[in-house]
């Protein structure tokens, strides 16, 4: 049984910020509603006011400006998967968005909701992390920018204050020589919460070596995490496509992730599978890049 | 009637269902209707010391709250043994047990009131393991003990068989608590009528049995209870037994108002029927040439809290524990054991998937040990018509084990399996395997298994076919229409069907056990013959044309003693009298002798299918994708090709779910997978490519040669998937579903160290 709620529809950003200030901690934003409605049904929403952002058109966009990709908080997963800009300059994000839920969820669910929800399993989060995204946050009193890696403070928790909302994400457009990708392990091939997910960006040097690596895992810790030791090992890979070398570099992640047992999988399996997931996704990306040249 | 032609039409209900205009029972509402809420147990196993409903009654909008004392008739239901209380008075045995019923003016108030019912429980230890529950000192779920049924069937001397065997394979297998997951959860409306009767509108698989069970619960004459249970938004066996009907019937009779219930998915998952999980210990002996010598099987069936159809499921499993292979020495033993793990009942396949997973696995393992291929070892052992089954009865009706085996061997997937298995990813492995299954149809020996049908020649020259069997998605009503139209030689659009209601249609038994099409073929053919007799009688009464003629259907009419008459002409001829009605009744043929110690066995008519599966296993994560399935199926005589393919598609998906995804997890009596975020069923992305091979070996006891196919299409695919994982990776899967983590652990047994 869903409790009775006060429902306000914001028409524009200014209106949304006013409502946010007016109701403060009593309100909950609703963007696509694909997380909020599930929680409402389960009786897990303590707030009694809903502020609906779904009609705030100025928060729904994707654009590129002087080498920086900007994604509005209300851009849907379907928007991101179809956007030529995201596909070209932030492929990991397009891949992640295209694997969220099913078509209905991707049509409704937004990237802002996915991030603000702060689930360790949120699929776009590791992608945004390896793209070095920055979160733009606004309130009536101004705006601030937070690197996405610092945005999360725990499962379901973030640095957002009650009167603040996320307006957009921006990240440097990936260019030639940068490889980025995403992989996900679930209980089936669609409509599945990640048992583990992984995203990476590799910058490839002239000698075909990886000169910089960013790798982030979801669903294997209280927040999405970067695995710095594994990243270093990827930078030491030989300049040829070797499954064994990739597999053993990926295996380092075993030491850097800290999953728990839950209904979906045990912690020890998650560790193993996370390493495998990285090896597989990295191999696919490196293989396609080296075949091209 | 071999020349009968079935016009290939689209489903007669396709447009309404696609457009959303079909009125399911859960769509109905009536003026002044109240809403029911089932107050469910707080504990999986407890004594009920007292119940206080005063706070609930005091809530505004609450019309009544019922407890066990308010049950007007017998407080229990169950198809075999009515041991499940409608409202529990002294004891609860699972989380879905009802301790009180609320009726209120809105659903919200009903739910709020339910939370105000105060129950004082004395918690008892939870019985959650069927093997432990058999121990003498185990806590008892029922006073009668935890054994619901024990069956032992033996033939020959298994020990002698094992002594002669060159290879003996012995393993323990485990199967999941699959949920039916129909789109429409348990729901319906009970309406008290002015004449004191009760109308029950609730989707179920057998209106006429619901009528009797409700009469017993209410303490009313069954004639005063009218049940409409058609159409149903999905059943799969989960609506064979009563669900919410008893509760809303009591509330409606008490309040004098229509009362509706429509369970949430979560409540359905906790309270609803499930497939019985089995532990199967199977020891199978083979000669070095693959000949089967002995099969020793012990099954533990997790019955859950109440009997329902647990006995027949166990016995059908034991009947099939050596399939229809030539096994001279068998010992099939089974225990149906009460636990506090929810409730289990009928489910498509009815025990057969559980045992054939074990048997087909043992056979493939023996083949591998003996260096035989999977087709050769099976061909050596399949039985033919006239031979003796592994449980000792002679197979008198048609047997198509070799037919489906030959077809699957010749299939594209099997012939080209080495090509299908190629992959260039270092972490992926592909495998192909096959399995076959017979599935005994009908209710079995000793249980009256009959079907009736009426064909009315309406005043306008069209027809109304009246038959009890409900439509819950299988497409049977389309098939019935085609059969009637084919016999009458009219366009199918001229046959209207009235089904699934105790008023206006005829009892044709439950829509279960792969029996609908077969039963209907005989009942409709009998009704058609009888219509001819009625025409002769009527003409004789009017014109003295004599009685010894036979009417023959010709294009849109019949030959009569007065020459050919169109149906319009016949209808007009008798327009003043009551409409001409052909009445057909049919009783299933059965064996003449029961299998000793096994009620209901043997079954007499079988379905047959063989399936091959191509899987891809990710060795890094254990994920298994089912890529391709080929089904070789004997329909006897295909009535509607599209519906047969639809049954295969759905059956394969449900079999895939059993093999790879689905399991209702219950820990200490509590359901952990209450909705579709944790209870995983295959999506459109997960289902494989299909290849259909439709075979037609007519079943001689059907007037139209048809046999049921609804269950068997989901059975062989289950072992085929498990065995394809073996072909891909070398590991044997002994527990289903083969989830990624389970497969990963098989591939990496040292993981925890
Ligand atoms: C069937 C199903 C399948 C799913 N599958 C996946 C999956 O595969 N992968 C995955 O990652 N997720 C999945 N989800 C979860 C969900 O769809 C995603 O997290 C989605 O991106 C949430 O976006 P939304 O716009 O619907 O969020 P909402 O439900 O509207 O909001 C989510 C949270 O974010 C807050 N919020 C929203 N927008 C803002 C903003 N601009 N500023 C501040 N706070 C904001 C809300 O207050 C709320 O707390 C699934 C959900 C369902 C129901």
């Amino acid at each position: 049984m869903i409790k009775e709620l006060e429902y306000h529809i914001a028409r524009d950003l200014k209106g949304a910020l006013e409502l946010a200030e007016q109701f403060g901690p009593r309100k909950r934003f609703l963007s696509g509603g694909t997380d909020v409605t599930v929680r409402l049904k389960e009786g897990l929403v303590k707030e009694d006011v809903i502020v609906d952002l779904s009609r705030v058109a100025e928060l729904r966009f994707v654009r590129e400006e002087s080498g920086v990709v900007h994604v509005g908080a209300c851009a849907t997963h379907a928007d991101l998967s179809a956007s030529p800009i995201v596909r070209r300059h932030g492929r990991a994000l397009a891949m992640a968005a295209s694997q969220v839920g099913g078509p209905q969820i991707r049509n409704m669910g937004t990237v802002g909701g996915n991030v603000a929800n702060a689930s360790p399993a949120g699929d776009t989060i590791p992608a945004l992390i390896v793209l070095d995204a920055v979160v733009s946050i606004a309130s009536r009193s101004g705006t601030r920018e937070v690197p996405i890696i610092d945005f999360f403070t725990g499962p379901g928790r973030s640095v957002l204050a009650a009167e603040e909302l996320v307006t957009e994400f921006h990240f440097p457009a990936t260019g030639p020589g940068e490889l980025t990708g995403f992989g996900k392990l679930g209980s089936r091939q669609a409509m599945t919460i990640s048992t583990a997910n992984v995203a990476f960006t590799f910058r490839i040097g002239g000698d075909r070596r990886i000169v910089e690596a960013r790798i982030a895992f979801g669903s294997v810790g209280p927040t999405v995490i970067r695995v710095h030791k594994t990243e270093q090992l990827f930078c030491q890979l030989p300049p040829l496509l070797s499954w064994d070398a990739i597999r053993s570099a990926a295996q380092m992640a075993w030491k850097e992730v800290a999953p728990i047992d839950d209904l979906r999988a045990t912690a020890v399996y998650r560790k193993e599978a996370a390493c495998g997931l990285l090896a597989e996704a990295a191999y696919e990306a490196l293989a396609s890049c080296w075949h091209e040249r | 009637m071999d020349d009968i032609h079935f016009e290939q039409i689209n489903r007669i209900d396709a447009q309404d269902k696609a457009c959303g205009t079909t009125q399911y029972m859960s769509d109905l509402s009536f003026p002044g209707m109240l809403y029911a809420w089932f107050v469910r147990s707080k504990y999986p196993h407890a004594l009920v010391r007292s119940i206080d409903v005063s706070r609930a009654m005091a809530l505004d909008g609450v019309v009544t709250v019922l407890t066990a004392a308010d049950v007007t008739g017998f407080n229990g239901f169950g198809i075999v043994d009515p041991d499940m209380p409608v409202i529990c008075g002294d004891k609860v045995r699972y989380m879905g047990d009802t301790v009180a019923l609320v009726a209120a003016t809105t659903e919200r108030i009903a739910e709020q009131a339910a939370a105000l019912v105060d129950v004082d429980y004395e918690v008892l230890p939870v019985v959650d393991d069927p093997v432990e529950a058999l121990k003498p000192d185990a806590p008892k779920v029922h006073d009668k003990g935890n054994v619901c049924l024990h069956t032992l069937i033996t033939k020959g001397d298994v020990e002698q068989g094992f002594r002669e065997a060159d290879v003996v394979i012995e393993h323990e297998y485990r199967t999941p608590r699959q949920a039916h997951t129909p789109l429409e959860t348990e729901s319906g409306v009970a309406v008290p009528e002015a004449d004191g009767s009760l109308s029950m509108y609730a989707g179920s698989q057998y209106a006429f049995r619901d009528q009797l069970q409700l009469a017993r619960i209410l303490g009313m004459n069954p004639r005063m209870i009218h049940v409409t249970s058609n159409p149903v938004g999905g059943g799969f066996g989960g609506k064979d037994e009563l669900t919410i009907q008893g509760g809303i019937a009591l509330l409606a009779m008490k309040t004098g108002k229509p009362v509706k219930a429509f369970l949430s998915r979560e409540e359905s998952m906790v309270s609803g029927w499930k497939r019985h999980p089995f532990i199967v210990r199977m020891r199978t002996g083979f000669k070095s040439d693959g000949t089967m010598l002995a099969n020793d099987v012990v099954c533990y069936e997790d019955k859950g809290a109440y009997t329902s159809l647990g006995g027949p499921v166990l016995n059908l499993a034991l009947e099939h524990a050596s399939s229809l292979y030539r096994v001279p020495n068998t010992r099939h033993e089974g225990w149906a054991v009460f636990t506090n793990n929810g409730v289990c009942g009928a489910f498509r396949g009815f025990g057969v998937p559980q045992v054939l997973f074990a048997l087909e696995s043992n056979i493939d393992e023996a083949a591998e040990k003996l260096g035989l291929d999977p087709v050769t070892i099976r061909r050596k052992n399949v039985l033919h018509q006239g031979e003796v089954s592994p449980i000792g009865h002679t197979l008198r009706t048609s047997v198509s084990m070799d037919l489906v085996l030959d077809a699957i061997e010749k299939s594209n997937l099997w012939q080209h399996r080495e090509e299908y298995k190629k992959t260039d990813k270092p972490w992926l492995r592909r495998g192909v395997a096959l399995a076959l299954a017979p599935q005994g149809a009908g209710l079995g020996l000793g249980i009256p298994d009959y079907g009736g049908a009426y064909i009315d020649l309406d005043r306008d020259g069209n027809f109304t076919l009246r038959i009890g069997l409900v439509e819950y998605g299988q497409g049977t009503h389309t098939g019935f229409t085609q059969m009637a139209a084919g016999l009458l030689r009219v366009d199918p659009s001229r046959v209207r069907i009235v089904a699934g209601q105790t008023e206006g249609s005829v009892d044709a038994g439950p829509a279960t056990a792969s029996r609908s099409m077969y039963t209907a073929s005989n009942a409709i053919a009998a009704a058609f013959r009888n219509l001819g007799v009625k025409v002769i009688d009527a003409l004789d009464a009017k014109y003295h044309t004599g009685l010894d003629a036979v009417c023959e259907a010709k294009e849109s009419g019949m030959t009569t003693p007065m020459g050919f008459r169109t149906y319009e002409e016949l209808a007009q001829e008798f327009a003043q009298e009551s409409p001409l009605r052909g009445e057909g009744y049919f009783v299933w043929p059965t064996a003449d002798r029961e299998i000793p110690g096994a009620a209901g066995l043997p079954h007499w008519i079988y379905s047959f299918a063989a399936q091959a599966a191509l899987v891809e296993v990710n060795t890094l994560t254990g994920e298994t994708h089912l890529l391709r399935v080929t089904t070789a199926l004997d329909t006897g005589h295909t009535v509607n090709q599209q519906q047969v393919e639809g049954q295969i598609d759905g059956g394969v998906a449900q079999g895939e779910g059993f093999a790879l995804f689905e399991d209702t997890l219950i820990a200490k009596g509590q359901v952990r997978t209450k909705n579709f975020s944790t209870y995983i069923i295959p999506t459109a992305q997960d289902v494989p490519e299909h290849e259909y091979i439709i075979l037609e070996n007519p079943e001689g006891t059907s007037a139209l040669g048809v046999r049921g196919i609804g269950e068997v299409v989901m059975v062989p695919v289950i072992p085929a998937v498990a065995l394809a994982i073996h072909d891909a990776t070398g590991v044997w899967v002994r527990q289903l579903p083969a989830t990624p983590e389970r497969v990963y652990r098989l591939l990496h047994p040292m993981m925890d160290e």
Side-chain angles (χ1 to χ4, degrees), chain A residues 28-36 38 53 73 77 99-101 105 108-110 112-114 116-117 121-123 160 165-166 184 191-192:
Chain A
R28 179 82 156 229
F29 289 121
L30 181 147
S31 178
T34 59
D35 271 315
V36 176
V38 173
L53 302 176
H77 297 296
Q99 290 180 57
V100 170
I105 296 295
M108 295 300 293
T110 64
N114 198 233
N117 199 46
D123 282 325
L160 274 187
L165 65 76
V166 175
K184 164 171 178 173
M191 295 299 268
T192 178

Side-chain angles (χ1 to χ4, degrees), chain B residues 40-342:
Chain B
R40 307 275 179 191
S41 173
K42 227 172 143 178
Y43 301 97
H45 198 194
L47 297 176
V48 178
R49 285 215 199 93
S50 64
I51 301 185
D52 181 355
V53 302
S54 53
R55 287 200 305 143
M57 281 296 282
L59 192 69
D60 229 18
V62 171
V63 178
T64 193
V65 182
L66 304 184
T67 61
D70 299 305
V71 179
T72 45
F74 177 76
N75 186 5
F77 64 101
I79 295 170
V80 171
D81 180 0
D83 61 358
M84 178 155 175
V86 185
I87 310 177
C88 294
D90 47 7
K91 189 174 178 184
V92 288
R93 298 179 180 84
Y94 86 112
M95 293 301 292
D97 257 334
T98 303
V99 290
L101 290 164
V102 180
T105 50
T106 70
E107 199 172 7
R108 182 178 281 266
I109 295 172
E111 182 179 2
Q112 282 165 345
L116 298 176
V117 172
D118 299 304
V119 187
D120 185 15
Y121 292 99
E122 180 182 328
V123 176
L124 298 172
V126 178
V127 180
D128 60 359
D129 178 327
V131 177
E132 291 295 312
L134 283 177
K135 295 191 174 152
D137 53 348
K140 284 188 175 47
V141 177
H142 289 272
D143 293 342
K144 59 190 171 194
N146 292 337
V147 178
C148 171
L149 182 70
H150 174 231
T151 299
L152 176 64
I153 309 168
T154 59
K155 191 183 105 182
D157 177 352
V158 280
E159 288 315 320
Q160 182 60 30
F162 289 126
R163 274 193 292 276
E164 290 167 16
D166 297 309
V167 166
V168 175
I169 309 288
E170 181 172 7
H171 294 290
E172 180 177 294
Y173 297 86
R174 285 169 188 259
T175 65
R177 190 186 317 276
Q178 191 173 28
H180 305 78
T181 66
L183 266 184
E184 182 193 43
T185 56
E186 298 84 344
S187 48
V189 192
V191 182
E193 306 290 356
D195 64 356
S197 67
L198 177 81
S199 297
M200 172 62 64
Y201 300 93
S204 88
Q205 295 174 220
Y206 191 13
F208 292 85
R209 188 177 52 217
D210 297 352
Q211 180 186 39
L212 290 180
Q213 292 219 64
L214 289 169
R216 185 167 59 191
I217 291 166
L218 296 169
M220 275 169 67
N221 185 336
R223 292 170 60 97
M224 298 291 282
I225 296 171
H226 317 302
V227 179
T228 303
S229 68
N230 186 73
V232 192
F236 308 107
K239 295 173 185 166
D240 193 15
E241 183 62 88
L242 287 185
T243 59
I244 45 87
Q245 295 96 322
I248 58 175
L250 287 168
L251 287 170
M253 292 313 280
K254 171 80 181 214
T255 60
K257 296 262 174 63
V259 178
K260 179 168 189 168
F262 194 170
L263 299 191
S264 67
R265 182 63 59 185
E266 288 77 6
E267 192 172 358
S268 167
M269 284 301 253
V270 171
S271 66
W273 303 99
K274 301 286 180 310
R275 187 188 294 287
H276 296 88
F278 269 52
I279 299 169
V280 181
R281 295 183 184 150
M282 186 178 282
R283 183 172 177 226
T284 319
F286 301 81
K287 277 212 298 232
S288 58
D289 67 355
T291 305
M292 295 172 82
L293 290 177
N295 196 25
D296 188 354
V297 187
V298 184
C299 295
Y300 298 91
E301 175 193 275
D302 185 346
K303 180 64 259 92
Y306 299 103
T307 300
S308 188
L309 285 167
V313 168
L314 180 71
N315 282 358
L316 198 75
L318 296 179
E319 179 168 5
H320 290 72
S322 299
S323 187
L324 287 185
Y325 293 121
R326 194 178 303 104
V327 192
N329 305 294
T330 56
R331 187 177 178 284
H332 297 177
E333 184 176 21
W335 301 85
V337 189
F338 289 119
T339 66
N340 303 120
N341 293 335

